[in-house]
Amino acid sequence: MSTTQGTGTSRPANPVRVVIVDDHAIFRSGLKADLDAGIQVVGEAATVEQAIAVIAQQRPDVVLLDVHLPGGLGGGGREVIAGSAALLPTTRFLALSVSDAAEDVVAVIRAGARGYVTKTISGAEITDAVFRVAGGDAVFSPRLAGFVLDAFGTAPADIADDELDRLSARELEVMRLIARGYSYKEVAKELFISIKTVETHVSAVLRKLQLSSRHELTKWAAERRLL
Amino acid sequence: MTTLPVRPPLARSSDRVIAGVCSGLALHLGWPVRNVRLGMVLAALAGGAGLLFYAWLWIMVPTADEAARRSARRPASPIAPAVSQVAGPGTAHDAGMGPGAAGTVTPGPGQAGTVPWFRAGGVRYGKEILLGCGLLLVAGIMIAQMLGVDVSLGTLIPAAAVLGGASIAWMQLDETRRAGLVDKTKADQAGGWGRLAAGLALVVAGVLVMVSGSGSWEQTWLALLASVAVLGGVVLVLLPWALKFWRDLEAERAGRIRETERAEIAAHLHDSVLQTLALIQRRAGNEHDVVRLARAQERELRGWLFQDHGRETGQLSDRIKAVAAEVEDLLGNAVEVVSVGDAAMTEAREALVQACREAMLNASRHGGGTVSVYLEASDGQAEVFIKDRGPGFELADVPADRLGVRESIIGRMNRHGGSAEILSTGDGTEVRLRLPAAAAQGAEGKS
């Protein structure tokens, strides 16, 4: 994923407190080693129950959350977010997955995750994504942007449409550029807008993705299992 | 001592008149089907020996489908996933015969000439010929009676009823036949049960008339009532056992299906993942090879796990993904494809794919990192963006004899009514390919 490359996300003064939730110990330790010094891993969990307990106890800034987790009722990452709903305003979730299945991604984003990245992402990129999510922004990979475009359609919104069911012309442009592999900074340069405006657009798209009652969204995800 | 010839396994073929016994036997023995059928008819006339033999084979010999299912297939080697993915879809459905029959019906060298003859004369009109023969036989008997020859109708008709009923009932056991019926007329289980009941009734009535030996309606009716009552009683007593037996059978079958699935998954993992892991261990020193192997295996496994089998394949996005996989294998750098929308392939779109391939090759070779490819297809228009993060280049600086960019990308797109644009800065290069709907449709009309 290259969206977050070299965007110069401003680092918070205090280290970002992170909990890693993944059922593979090898992946957790690898991820921990990859993360920047500005990120402090305060807890780890391998199952849904452990995750909910650790998150409630540590109240981290960001949770790196695997989409597929054992335990609980079988809901995986979605269930962890639902179980930590009370902390959602302060604790932010970044979904990590090897799965390309749209259903999984839609489920975890609609449950409240602030972004979705694949597990093949590099250490620098994930560090950047963590800072971005901690700062309240959304993290979109090219795949997620492609998924949004496919689900919402590539035609801009009419005024008559429900605002939540369509993307505005500007949001479409931003999504298209992200799908093409542009970083936020490059998107800003291309569209002659500030990075902050790009972030606002991306957050708006995330909100639509989470709140839209557009029936195509879930149907689409169930029908097409690939991103 | 002569060496034994290798024979195909004895299985009932789907190339059949009644149950495929004769053609299966012919295939097994390497004889012409016609001779086998003729022999069977002659044997049937010799005191019914042929009929008995036919019925025995019908019951005992599995159909070609069942036989094929017993020898489980293994997936093809995935080490060249790009190749196997391109060649994969479409081969199974092209044969135009019953499912699974394609491989087994292939005639041996000696019968190449006779099988087509039978296909034209035998199978297509087989039922009609059989029916005609039956009617001729009936007519013959009637004429013989008129001429004063004593043919005892009292035994002939019940015998025919028994024979007919039995074959109707047995046909229901025939899986291929039922599948064919469901396909052709949407007949469901109910129709099958109806036929079974009709066959049973025919047999019972025939046997009764034969045994009672009298044409008296009154007597037959009474006997029929009595025998139905007895049969009902027997069914009542045996039903619980039969049900239990049926359930056990079902459970066992479900278990076997699970086992087959597990075996298929195990075989697939063995042939793909384990082999690749072994390769990776042997090449642990070469980072480039390890990454390439891991990417190829990931792609193959993803395709196997998540491929939506109901989706149409061979679309534009599939072609671009296949080409991306090829470039990835060739040069080792990751090529990430994101696609939105899709379109059917045409000549012009194939040109788009080729231009895209050239751009991916350049991006991977000179960019040196991950290549991002984005395809957007809507309302017939297709756009592809290929982006890398290499040092960039100036088109004017490219030597005149290097045709990669000028000819294979820009020239090719222009020739097919599309356009290509190349934007290069110090932060990377993006190639933008556009093929309008009119260009794609025009080429479609020409071809």
Side-chain angles (χ1 to χ4, degrees):
Chain A
M1 199 196 76
S2 43
T3 41
T4 50
Q5 234 173 35
T7 48
T9 314
S10 58
R11 292 195 173 185
N14 302 320
V16 177
R17 301 174 69 250
V18 167
V19 166
I20 300 176
V21 182
D22 195 298
D23 53 328
H24 295 102
I26 296 179
F27 184 78
R28 286 201 307 269
S29 57
L31 187 60
K32 231 161 88 176
D34 269 355
L35 288 172
D36 186 276
I39 294 172
Q40 186 193 353
V41 178
V42 293
E44 290 179 38
T47 64
V48 172
E49 289 87 358
Q50 280 178 26
I52 294 175
V54 170
I55 292 165
Q57 188 202 338
Q58 292 291 340
R59 297 176 172 272
D61 301 314
V62 176
V63 178
L64 288 170
L65 184 64
D66 189 7
V67 172
H68 291 283
L69 281 177
L73 304 170
R78 181 164 45 92
E79 208 178 321
V80 175
I81 302 180
S84 316
L87 302 169
L88 260 187
T90 52
T91 297
R92 292 177 173 112
F93 291 84
L94 177 61
L96 275 174
S97 177
V98 287
S99 160
D100 270 356
E103 304 151 84
D104 296 338
V105 183
V106 168
V108 80
I109 293 276
R110 280 174 83 94
R114 297 290 299 167
Y116 163 83
V117 290
T118 48
K119 280 189 178 176
T120 48
I121 188 172
S122 76
E125 287 166 343
I126 195 138
T127 301
D128 207 48
V130 168
F131 286 138
R132 191 175 290 286
V133 169
D137 291 324
V139 171
F140 269 49
S141 66
R143 266 172 197 278
L144 184 54
F147 158 63
V148 168
L149 287 170
D150 220 354
F152 281 87
T154 45
D158 291 332
I159 302 150
D161 272 331
D162 183 352
E163 182 249 344
L164 282 176
D165 288 352
R166 290 252 169 208
L167 302 183
S168 73
R170 206 53 159 176
E171 285 162 0
L172 273 176
E173 280 177 322
V174 172
M175 282 296 120
R176 273 212 183 91
L177 289 172
I178 291 177
R180 276 156 67 177
Y182 281 57
S183 67
Y184 286 14
K185 191 172 146 199
E186 286 167 326
V187 172
K189 204 170 133 199
E190 178 81 15
L191 298 178
F192 304 105
I193 53 181
S194 71
I195 293 185
K196 203 69 226 163
T197 315
V198 174
E199 285 167 353
T200 311
H201 284 309
V202 173
S203 292
V205 172
L206 184 78
R207 194 174 65 91
K208 287 184 183 181
L209 193 58
Q210 286 172 344
L211 298 180
S212 173
S213 58
R214 188 182 170 80
H215 67 282
E216 283 97 335
L217 203 60
T218 27
K219 204 179 112 221
W220 181 91
E223 270 172 7
R224 246 195 101 178
R225 298 174 56 214
L226 278 178
L227 263 188
Chain B
M1 201 176 127
T2 53
T3 51
L4 277 171
V6 182
R7 297 188 190 285
L10 184 58
R12 279 187 287 133
S13 154
S14 68
D15 168 27
R16 65 197 147 82
V17 176
I18 301 172
V21 168
C22 285
S23 51
L25 198 63
L27 204 64
H28 177 66
L29 296 175
W31 295 350
V33 185
R34 198 171 17 161
N35 293 2
V36 175
R37 283 182 178 148
L38 208 65
M40 197 65 90
V41 170
L42 286 178
L45 292 180
L51 279 181
L52 213 64
F53 184 51
Y54 194 97
W56 183 67
L57 281 182
W58 191 348
I59 296 166
M60 302 305 286
V61 174
T63 60
D65 273 3
E66 288 164 345
R69 236 175 286 142
R70 276 177 205 177
S71 51
R73 288 171 316 165
R74 297 193 124 201
S77 166
I79 295 304
V83 182
S84 64
Q85 260 173 16
V86 171
T91 46
H93 306 290
D94 288 352
M97 298 185 201
T104 41
V105 186
T106 321
Q111 1 166 192
T114 54
V115 168
W117 178 84
F118 248 96
R119 179 133 320 140
V123 167
R124 195 182 299 169
Y125 305 111
K127 307 271 154 49
E128 286 80 355
I129 290 173
L130 212 64
L131 195 71
C133 287
L135 288 175
L136 273 179
L137 201 67
V138 171
I141 290 166
M142 283 178 157
I143 289 169
Q145 241 183 357
M146 261 186 240
L147 290 177
V149 183
D150 182 35
V151 181
S152 65
L153 275 180
T155 51
L156 215 62
I157 291 176
V162 170
L163 224 65
S167 43
I168 287 177
W170 281 346
M171 271 182 177
Q172 285 319 112
L173 286 178
D174 213 327
E175 223 177 330
T176 54
R177 166 132 201 112
R178 198 164 58 208
L181 270 176
V182 168
D183 271 0
K184 277 180 211 140
T185 61
K186 303 272 179 236
D188 48 12
Q189 290 292 97
W193 285 112
R195 289 162 68 96
L196 190 66
L200 208 65
L202 267 178
V203 171
V204 169
V207 167
L208 272 176
V209 173
M210 240 196 303
V211 171
S212 68
S214 70
S216 152
W217 183 242
E218 288 283 312
Q219 227 177 345
T220 311
W221 183 244
L222 271 178
L224 194 69
L225 213 64
S227 54
V228 166
V230 170
L231 272 178
V234 169
V235 165
L236 204 66
V237 171
L238 291 183
L239 199 63
W241 270 300
L243 274 179
K244 185 181 177 319
F245 180 69
W246 177 254
R247 277 200 209 104
D248 287 354
L249 205 71
E250 283 287 290
E252 198 214 307
R253 202 166 66 167
R256 215 172 41 229
I257 289 171
R258 264 200 300 280
E259 186 57 33
T260 312
E261 271 171 4
R262 206 199 65 81
E264 195 195 328
I265 291 170
H268 184 270
L269 290 183
H270 173 267
D271 288 359
S272 61
V273 179
L274 284 183
Q275 301 281 8
T276 308
L277 285 176
L279 271 174
I280 284 178
Q281 283 170 40
R282 290 219 326 248
R283 307 209 169 203
N286 188 337
E287 192 189 342
H288 187 75
D289 278 359
V290 169
V291 170
R292 185 192 301 205
L293 281 168
R295 286 285 303 181
Q297 184 55 60
E298 180 189 345
R299 218 165 40 228
E300 192 271 336
L301 196 58
R302 248 177 226 294
W304 190 67
L305 284 176
F306 298 122
Q307 198 166 49
D308 188 349
H309 296 289
R311 205 166 64 86
E312 239 182 296
T313 52
Q315 298 281 88
L316 181 60
S317 66
D318 294 320
R319 283 286 297 134
I320 288 193
K321 277 172 192 158
V323 164
E326 203 183 305
V327 172
E328 218 172 72
D329 269 349
L330 208 63
L331 297 172
N333 289 320
V335 181
E336 300 274 4
V337 180
V338 174
S339 70
V340 172
D342 217 335
M345 287 305 293
T346 62
E347 200 186 318
R349 292 202 181 110
E350 183 56 37
L352 173 70
V353 170
Q354 289 310 320
C356 186
R357 179 175 189 273
E358 195 64 32
M360 284 184 209
L361 279 172
N362 280 339
S364 186
R365 200 173 282 139
H366 304 298
T370 299
V371 178
S372 305
V373 178
Y374 172 62
L375 159 74
E376 185 176 316
S378 59
D379 304 328
Q381 172 172 287
E383 281 180 287
V384 185
F385 301 86
I386 301 104
K387 186 174 169 64
D388 67 70
R389 292 177 177 280
F393 70 101
E394 276 295 326
L395 189 54
D397 296 343
V398 177
D401 60 329
R402 299 294 299 271
L403 298 177
V405 173
R406 276 195 201 88
E407 263 313 297
S408 301
I409 301 178
I410 302 177
R412 185 182 266 140
M413 289 307 295
N414 288 340
R415 274 199 300 281
H416 286 89
S419 62
E421 202 184 334
I422 294 165
L423 257 98
S424 195
T425 65
D427 296 331
T429 306
E430 187 175 49
V431 179
R432 303 171 178 177
L433 309 175
R434 185 191 313 267
L435 190 71
Q441 295 312 316
E444 201 171 27
K446 258 187 281 168
S447 63

